[in-house]
Amino acid sequence: VRWMMYWIVFALFMATETFTDLLISWFPFYYEVKMAFVLWLLSPYTRGASLLYRRFVHPTLSRKEKDIDTFLVRTRERGYETMLHFGKRGLNLAATAAVQAAAKSQGALAGRLRSFSMQDLRSIPDEG
């Protein structure tokens, strides 16, 4: 549980830091403070990640739980519909390609058979 709290808080920190890094990276000792913050999160003595998770992240997630669940259900339904749509489309493309290949190969086979003379066809041994 401790590691789960750490990775959730660290992921939120990294996502936030991606945007704020451009704005505040010019502050003196910015990188040193950032490293100290990560060590504070990670340390088993300070339990910084656990503190932040219990004080901020968990209450926010609890308040938004119904919205998150609704979003997940909607996303699952859309994903299923999208999968069906692209699956049907892929099968249609494969069927069209197969029919076109069969038509082309049949035409090529007929052309080759026409190129044989009756003499060539009589020279093939009869196995019937």
Side-chain angles (χ1 to χ4, degrees), residues 5-48:
M5 286 189 241
Y6 167 75
W7 284 111
I8 291 172
V9 171
F10 184 74
L12 290 172
F13 168 69
M14 290 302 293
T16 306
E17 188 247 345
T18 301
F19 300 108
T20 60
D21 194 37
L22 298 170
L23 302 173
I24 60 174
S25 63
W26 56 271
F27 279 122
F29 301 109
Y30 169 73
Y31 293 102
E32 289 82 2
V33 170
K34 187 165 75 168
M35 190 176 356
F37 177 72
V38 171
L39 289 173
W40 177 75
L41 287 176
L42 188 59
S43 175
Y45 299 111
T46 60
R47 298 178 189 223

Short mmCIF file of all heavy atoms in Angstrom, two decimals, residues 5-48:
data_model
loop_
_atom_site.label_atom_id
_atom_site.label_comp_id
_atom_site.label_asym_id
_atom_site.label_seq_id
_atom_site.Cartn_x
_atom_site.Cartn_y
_atom_site.Cartn_z
N MET A 5 0.81 4.24 -2.82
CA MET A 5 0.64 5.65 -2.51
C MET A 5 1.79 6.47 -3.09
O MET A 5 1.58 7.54 -3.67
CB MET A 5 0.56 5.86 -1.00
CG MET A 5 -0.73 5.42 -0.38
SD MET A 5 -0.79 5.94 1.32
CE MET A 5 -0.91 4.38 2.13
N TYR A 6 3.02 5.94 -2.95
CA TYR A 6 4.18 6.66 -3.48
C TYR A 6 4.06 6.84 -4.98
O TYR A 6 4.25 7.94 -5.50
CB TYR A 6 5.48 5.93 -3.14
CG TYR A 6 6.66 6.46 -3.92
CD1 TYR A 6 7.22 7.69 -3.57
CD2 TYR A 6 7.16 5.79 -5.03
CE1 TYR A 6 8.27 8.21 -4.31
CE2 TYR A 6 8.21 6.30 -5.75
CZ TYR A 6 8.77 7.51 -5.39
OH TYR A 6 9.79 8.02 -6.12
N TRP A 7 3.76 5.77 -5.72
CA TRP A 7 3.74 5.85 -7.17
C TRP A 7 2.60 6.73 -7.68
O TRP A 7 2.74 7.42 -8.70
CB TRP A 7 3.69 4.47 -7.82
CG TRP A 7 5.03 3.81 -7.76
CD1 TRP A 7 5.37 2.73 -7.03
CD2 TRP A 7 6.21 4.22 -8.44
NE1 TRP A 7 6.69 2.43 -7.21
CE2 TRP A 7 7.24 3.33 -8.08
CE3 TRP A 7 6.51 5.25 -9.33
CZ2 TRP A 7 8.53 3.44 -8.57
CZ3 TRP A 7 7.81 5.36 -9.82
CH2 TRP A 7 8.80 4.46 -9.44
N ILE A 8 1.49 6.74 -6.99
CA ILE A 8 0.38 7.63 -7.39
C ILE A 8 0.77 9.08 -7.19
O ILE A 8 0.59 9.92 -8.07
CB ILE A 8 -0.91 7.26 -6.63
CG1 ILE A 8 -1.44 5.92 -7.11
CG2 ILE A 8 -1.96 8.36 -6.80
CD1 ILE A 8 -2.59 5.38 -6.31
N VAL A 9 1.32 9.39 -6.02
CA VAL A 9 1.74 10.77 -5.74
C VAL A 9 2.87 11.18 -6.68
O VAL A 9 2.89 12.29 -7.21
CB VAL A 9 2.15 10.93 -4.25
CG1 VAL A 9 2.79 12.28 -4.01
CG2 VAL A 9 0.94 10.74 -3.36
N PHE A 10 3.82 10.27 -6.90
CA PHE A 10 4.94 10.58 -7.79
C PHE A 10 4.46 10.81 -9.22
O PHE A 10 4.94 11.72 -9.90
CB PHE A 10 5.97 9.45 -7.75
CG PHE A 10 7.20 9.73 -8.56
CD1 PHE A 10 8.14 10.64 -8.12
CD2 PHE A 10 7.40 9.10 -9.78
CE1 PHE A 10 9.27 10.92 -8.87
CE2 PHE A 10 8.52 9.36 -10.55
CZ PHE A 10 9.46 10.28 -10.09
N ALA A 11 3.51 10.02 -9.69
CA ALA A 11 2.96 10.21 -11.04
C ALA A 11 2.26 11.56 -11.15
O ALA A 11 2.40 12.27 -12.16
CB ALA A 11 2.00 9.08 -11.38
N LEU A 12 1.50 11.94 -10.14
CA LEU A 12 0.85 13.25 -10.14
C LEU A 12 1.89 14.37 -10.12
O LEU A 12 1.74 15.38 -10.81
CB LEU A 12 -0.10 13.37 -8.96
CG LEU A 12 -1.36 12.51 -9.03
CD1 LEU A 12 -2.12 12.57 -7.71
CD2 LEU A 12 -2.24 12.95 -10.18
N PHE A 13 2.94 14.17 -9.33
CA PHE A 13 4.02 15.15 -9.29
C PHE A 13 4.69 15.30 -10.65
O PHE A 13 4.93 16.41 -11.11
CB PHE A 13 5.05 14.75 -8.22
CG PHE A 13 6.33 15.53 -8.30
CD1 PHE A 13 6.36 16.88 -7.98
CD2 PHE A 13 7.50 14.91 -8.71
CE1 PHE A 13 7.54 17.59 -8.06
CE2 PHE A 13 8.68 15.62 -8.80
CZ PHE A 13 8.70 16.96 -8.47
N MET A 14 4.98 14.18 -11.30
CA MET A 14 5.64 14.23 -12.61
C MET A 14 4.73 14.87 -13.67
O MET A 14 5.21 15.61 -14.52
CB MET A 14 6.05 12.82 -13.05
CG MET A 14 7.19 12.24 -12.23
SD MET A 14 8.68 13.24 -12.24
CE MET A 14 9.18 13.09 -13.94
N ALA A 15 3.45 14.58 -13.61
CA ALA A 15 2.52 15.18 -14.57
C ALA A 15 2.44 16.70 -14.36
O ALA A 15 2.43 17.47 -15.33
CB ALA A 15 1.13 14.56 -14.43
N THR A 16 2.40 17.12 -13.12
CA THR A 16 2.36 18.55 -12.81
C THR A 16 3.69 19.20 -13.17
O THR A 16 3.72 20.30 -13.72
CB THR A 16 2.06 18.75 -11.31
OG1 THR A 16 0.87 18.07 -10.98
CG2 THR A 16 1.92 20.22 -10.98
N GLU A 17 4.77 18.51 -12.86
CA GLU A 17 6.10 19.05 -13.09
C GLU A 17 6.39 19.25 -14.57
O GLU A 17 7.15 20.14 -14.94
CB GLU A 17 7.14 18.11 -12.46
CG GLU A 17 8.53 18.64 -12.45
CD GLU A 17 9.43 17.84 -13.36
OE1 GLU A 17 9.06 16.73 -13.77
OE2 GLU A 17 10.51 18.35 -13.66
N THR A 18 5.77 18.47 -15.43
CA THR A 18 5.97 18.61 -16.86
C THR A 18 5.56 20.00 -17.33
O THR A 18 6.24 20.60 -18.17
CB THR A 18 5.14 17.55 -17.61
OG1 THR A 18 5.55 16.27 -17.19
CG2 THR A 18 5.30 17.68 -19.10
N PHE A 19 4.50 20.53 -16.77
CA PHE A 19 4.02 21.86 -17.17
C PHE A 19 4.69 22.98 -16.38
O PHE A 19 5.04 24.02 -16.94
CB PHE A 19 2.51 21.95 -17.01
CG PHE A 19 1.78 20.95 -17.85
CD1 PHE A 19 1.17 19.85 -17.27
CD2 PHE A 19 1.73 21.09 -19.22
CE1 PHE A 19 0.50 18.91 -18.05
CE2 PHE A 19 1.07 20.16 -20.01
CZ PHE A 19 0.45 19.06 -19.41
N THR A 20 4.86 22.78 -15.08
CA THR A 20 5.42 23.85 -14.26
C THR A 20 6.93 23.98 -14.41
O THR A 20 7.47 25.04 -14.09
CB THR A 20 5.08 23.61 -12.77
OG1 THR A 20 5.63 22.37 -12.35
CG2 THR A 20 3.59 23.63 -12.55
N ASP A 21 7.58 22.95 -14.89
CA ASP A 21 9.03 22.99 -15.04
C ASP A 21 9.46 24.11 -15.96
O ASP A 21 10.48 24.76 -15.74
CB ASP A 21 9.53 21.64 -15.56
CG ASP A 21 11.02 21.47 -15.43
OD1 ASP A 21 11.56 21.94 -14.40
OD2 ASP A 21 11.65 20.88 -16.33
N LEU A 22 8.68 24.38 -17.00
CA LEU A 22 9.01 25.45 -17.94
C LEU A 22 8.92 26.83 -17.29
O LEU A 22 9.65 27.75 -17.66
CB LEU A 22 8.07 25.39 -19.14
CG LEU A 22 8.13 24.11 -19.97
CD1 LEU A 22 6.99 24.11 -20.97
CD2 LEU A 22 9.47 24.02 -20.67
N LEU A 23 8.02 26.97 -16.32
CA LEU A 23 7.79 28.28 -15.72
C LEU A 23 8.72 28.58 -14.54
O LEU A 23 9.11 29.74 -14.35
CB LEU A 23 6.34 28.38 -15.25
CG LEU A 23 5.27 28.18 -16.33
CD1 LEU A 23 3.89 28.14 -15.71
CD2 LEU A 23 5.37 29.30 -17.35
N ILE A 24 9.04 27.57 -13.74
CA ILE A 24 9.78 27.86 -12.51
C ILE A 24 11.17 27.22 -12.44
O ILE A 24 11.82 27.28 -11.41
CB ILE A 24 8.95 27.44 -11.27
CG1 ILE A 24 8.65 25.95 -11.29
CG2 ILE A 24 7.70 28.25 -11.14
CD1 ILE A 24 7.97 25.46 -10.03
N SER A 25 11.64 26.66 -13.53
CA SER A 25 12.96 26.01 -13.49
C SER A 25 14.10 27.02 -13.35
O SER A 25 15.21 26.64 -13.02
CB SER A 25 13.17 25.17 -14.74
OG SER A 25 13.16 25.98 -15.89
N TRP A 26 13.84 28.27 -13.55
CA TRP A 26 14.88 29.29 -13.45
C TRP A 26 15.12 29.74 -12.01
O TRP A 26 16.07 30.45 -11.73
CB TRP A 26 14.55 30.49 -14.34
CG TRP A 26 13.21 31.09 -14.04
CD1 TRP A 26 12.02 30.74 -14.59
CD2 TRP A 26 12.95 32.14 -13.12
NE1 TRP A 26 11.02 31.51 -14.07
CE2 TRP A 26 11.56 32.39 -13.16
CE3 TRP A 26 13.73 32.91 -12.26
CZ2 TRP A 26 10.95 33.35 -12.37
CZ3 TRP A 26 13.12 33.87 -11.48
CH2 TRP A 26 11.75 34.09 -11.53
N PHE A 27 14.24 29.32 -11.06
CA PHE A 27 14.46 29.68 -9.65
C PHE A 27 15.76 29.08 -9.15
O PHE A 27 16.11 27.95 -9.53
CB PHE A 27 13.31 29.17 -8.77
CG PHE A 27 12.09 30.04 -8.78
CD1 PHE A 27 10.87 29.52 -9.16
CD2 PHE A 27 12.16 31.37 -8.40
CE1 PHE A 27 9.73 30.31 -9.18
CE2 PHE A 27 11.02 32.17 -8.41
CZ PHE A 27 9.81 31.64 -8.81
N PRO A 28 16.45 29.80 -8.28
CA PRO A 28 17.68 29.23 -7.71
C PRO A 28 17.37 27.98 -6.89
O PRO A 28 16.35 27.92 -6.19
CB PRO A 28 18.22 30.34 -6.81
CG PRO A 28 17.46 31.56 -7.15
CD PRO A 28 16.20 31.15 -7.83
N PHE A 29 18.20 26.99 -7.00
CA PHE A 29 18.10 25.72 -6.27
C PHE A 29 16.83 24.95 -6.60
O PHE A 29 16.36 24.14 -5.80
CB PHE A 29 18.20 25.93 -4.75
CG PHE A 29 19.47 26.59 -4.32
CD1 PHE A 29 19.47 27.89 -3.86
CD2 PHE A 29 20.66 25.89 -4.40
CE1 PHE A 29 20.64 28.50 -3.48
CE2 PHE A 29 21.84 26.51 -4.01
CZ PHE A 29 21.84 27.81 -3.55
N TYR A 30 16.26 25.20 -7.77
CA TYR A 30 15.03 24.50 -8.16
C TYR A 30 15.24 22.99 -8.22
O TYR A 30 14.45 22.23 -7.66
CB TYR A 30 14.53 25.02 -9.51
CG TYR A 30 13.42 24.18 -10.11
CD1 TYR A 30 12.15 24.21 -9.57
CD2 TYR A 30 13.66 23.34 -11.18
CE1 TYR A 30 11.13 23.43 -10.09
CE2 TYR A 30 12.65 22.56 -11.72
CZ TYR A 30 11.39 22.61 -11.17
OH TYR A 30 10.40 21.84 -11.68
N TYR A 31 16.29 22.57 -8.87
CA TYR A 31 16.52 21.14 -9.04
C TYR A 31 16.89 20.47 -7.72
O TYR A 31 16.51 19.33 -7.47
CB TYR A 31 17.59 20.89 -10.11
CG TYR A 31 17.11 21.28 -11.48
CD1 TYR A 31 17.51 22.48 -12.06
CD2 TYR A 31 16.19 20.50 -12.17
CE1 TYR A 31 17.04 22.86 -13.30
CE2 TYR A 31 15.71 20.87 -13.41
CZ TYR A 31 16.14 22.05 -13.97
OH TYR A 31 15.65 22.43 -15.20
N GLU A 32 17.57 21.19 -6.86
CA GLU A 32 17.91 20.64 -5.54
C GLU A 32 16.64 20.48 -4.69
O GLU A 32 16.46 19.48 -4.00
CB GLU A 32 18.93 21.54 -4.83
CG GLU A 32 20.31 21.50 -5.43
CD GLU A 32 20.49 22.38 -6.65
OE1 GLU A 32 19.51 23.10 -7.04
OE2 GLU A 32 21.58 22.35 -7.24
N VAL A 33 15.76 21.46 -4.77
CA VAL A 33 14.49 21.37 -4.03
C VAL A 33 13.64 20.23 -4.57
O VAL A 33 13.01 19.49 -3.81
CB VAL A 33 13.74 22.73 -4.08
CG1 VAL A 33 12.33 22.60 -3.54
CG2 VAL A 33 14.51 23.79 -3.33
N LYS A 34 13.63 20.09 -5.89
CA LYS A 34 12.86 19.00 -6.51
C LYS A 34 13.40 17.64 -6.06
O LYS A 34 12.63 16.73 -5.73
CB LYS A 34 12.91 19.14 -8.03
CG LYS A 34 12.01 18.17 -8.76
CD LYS A 34 11.79 18.56 -10.21
CE LYS A 34 12.98 18.25 -11.05
NZ LYS A 34 12.68 18.35 -12.50
N MET A 35 14.72 17.50 -6.02
CA MET A 35 15.31 16.24 -5.58
C MET A 35 15.01 15.98 -4.10
O MET A 35 14.70 14.86 -3.70
CB MET A 35 16.82 16.26 -5.81
CG MET A 35 17.45 14.92 -5.60
SD MET A 35 19.22 14.78 -5.95
CE MET A 35 19.73 16.30 -6.59
N ALA A 36 15.07 17.02 -3.29
CA ALA A 36 14.76 16.87 -1.86
C ALA A 36 13.29 16.47 -1.68
O ALA A 36 12.96 15.65 -0.81
CB ALA A 36 15.05 18.17 -1.12
N PHE A 37 12.41 17.03 -2.51
CA PHE A 37 10.99 16.68 -2.43
C PHE A 37 10.77 15.21 -2.76
O PHE A 37 10.01 14.51 -2.08
CB PHE A 37 10.18 17.58 -3.37
CG PHE A 37 8.72 17.25 -3.40
CD1 PHE A 37 7.90 17.55 -2.33
CD2 PHE A 37 8.15 16.62 -4.50
CE1 PHE A 37 6.55 17.24 -2.36
CE2 PHE A 37 6.81 16.31 -4.53
CZ PHE A 37 6.01 16.62 -3.46
N VAL A 38 11.42 14.72 -3.80
CA VAL A 38 11.28 13.31 -4.18
C VAL A 38 11.83 12.42 -3.07
O VAL A 38 11.24 11.38 -2.74
CB VAL A 38 11.96 13.03 -5.53
CG1 VAL A 38 12.02 11.54 -5.82
CG2 VAL A 38 11.23 13.76 -6.64
N LEU A 39 12.95 12.79 -2.47
CA LEU A 39 13.49 12.01 -1.35
C LEU A 39 12.54 12.05 -0.16
O LEU A 39 12.38 11.04 0.54
CB LEU A 39 14.87 12.53 -0.96
CG LEU A 39 15.98 12.22 -1.96
CD1 LEU A 39 17.27 12.93 -1.56
CD2 LEU A 39 16.19 10.73 -2.09
N TRP A 40 11.91 13.20 0.08
CA TRP A 40 10.94 13.29 1.16
C TRP A 40 9.74 12.38 0.89
O TRP A 40 9.23 11.73 1.79
CB TRP A 40 10.48 14.74 1.30
CG TRP A 40 9.43 14.95 2.35
CD1 TRP A 40 9.60 14.96 3.69
CD2 TRP A 40 8.04 15.18 2.12
NE1 TRP A 40 8.40 15.19 4.31
CE2 TRP A 40 7.43 15.33 3.37
CE3 TRP A 40 7.26 15.28 0.97
CZ2 TRP A 40 6.06 15.56 3.51
CZ3 TRP A 40 5.92 15.52 1.11
CH2 TRP A 40 5.32 15.65 2.37
N LEU A 41 9.30 12.32 -0.37
CA LEU A 41 8.20 11.42 -0.73
C LEU A 41 8.58 9.97 -0.47
O LEU A 41 7.79 9.17 0.01
CB LEU A 41 7.83 11.57 -2.20
CG LEU A 41 7.09 12.79 -2.66
CD1 LEU A 41 6.92 12.75 -4.17
CD2 LEU A 41 5.75 12.90 -1.98
N LEU A 42 9.82 9.63 -0.81
CA LEU A 42 10.28 8.25 -0.79
C LEU A 42 10.68 7.76 0.60
O LEU A 42 10.59 6.56 0.88
CB LEU A 42 11.47 8.13 -1.75
CG LEU A 42 12.03 6.78 -2.06
CD1 LEU A 42 10.94 5.90 -2.67
CD2 LEU A 42 13.20 6.90 -3.01
N SER A 43 11.09 8.65 1.45
CA SER A 43 11.65 8.26 2.75
C SER A 43 10.64 7.55 3.64
O SER A 43 9.52 8.02 3.84
CB SER A 43 12.16 9.51 3.47
OG SER A 43 12.60 9.18 4.76
N PRO A 44 11.04 6.40 4.22
CA PRO A 44 10.13 5.70 5.14
C PRO A 44 10.01 6.43 6.49
O PRO A 44 9.07 6.18 7.24
CB PRO A 44 10.77 4.33 5.32
CG PRO A 44 12.20 4.51 4.95
CD PRO A 44 12.26 5.65 3.98
N TYR A 45 10.93 7.35 6.79
CA TYR A 45 10.86 8.08 8.05
C TYR A 45 9.87 9.24 7.98
O TYR A 45 9.13 9.48 8.93
CB TYR A 45 12.25 8.61 8.42
CG TYR A 45 13.25 7.50 8.61
CD1 TYR A 45 14.29 7.32 7.70
CD2 TYR A 45 13.14 6.61 9.67
CE1 TYR A 45 15.19 6.28 7.85
CE2 TYR A 45 14.04 5.55 9.82
CZ TYR A 45 15.06 5.40 8.91
OH TYR A 45 15.94 4.38 9.06
N THR A 46 9.87 9.94 6.86
CA THR A 46 8.96 11.07 6.74
C THR A 46 7.59 10.67 6.20
O THR A 46 6.61 11.35 6.46
CB THR A 46 9.56 12.14 5.80
OG1 THR A 46 9.75 11.55 4.51
CG2 THR A 46 10.86 12.68 6.33
N ARG A 47 7.54 9.60 5.44
CA ARG A 47 6.31 9.12 4.82
C ARG A 47 5.55 10.25 4.11
O ARG A 47 4.35 10.43 4.28
CB ARG A 47 5.41 8.45 5.84
CG ARG A 47 6.03 7.24 6.46
CD ARG A 47 5.15 6.62 7.49
NE ARG A 47 5.90 5.59 8.19
CZ ARG A 47 5.42 4.41 8.49
NH1 ARG A 47 4.18 4.13 8.18
NH2 ARG A 47 6.15 3.54 9.11
N GLY A 48 6.29 10.98 3.31
CA GLY A 48 5.72 12.13 2.61
C GLY A 48 4.64 11.73 1.62
O GLY A 48 3.60 12.38 1.53
#
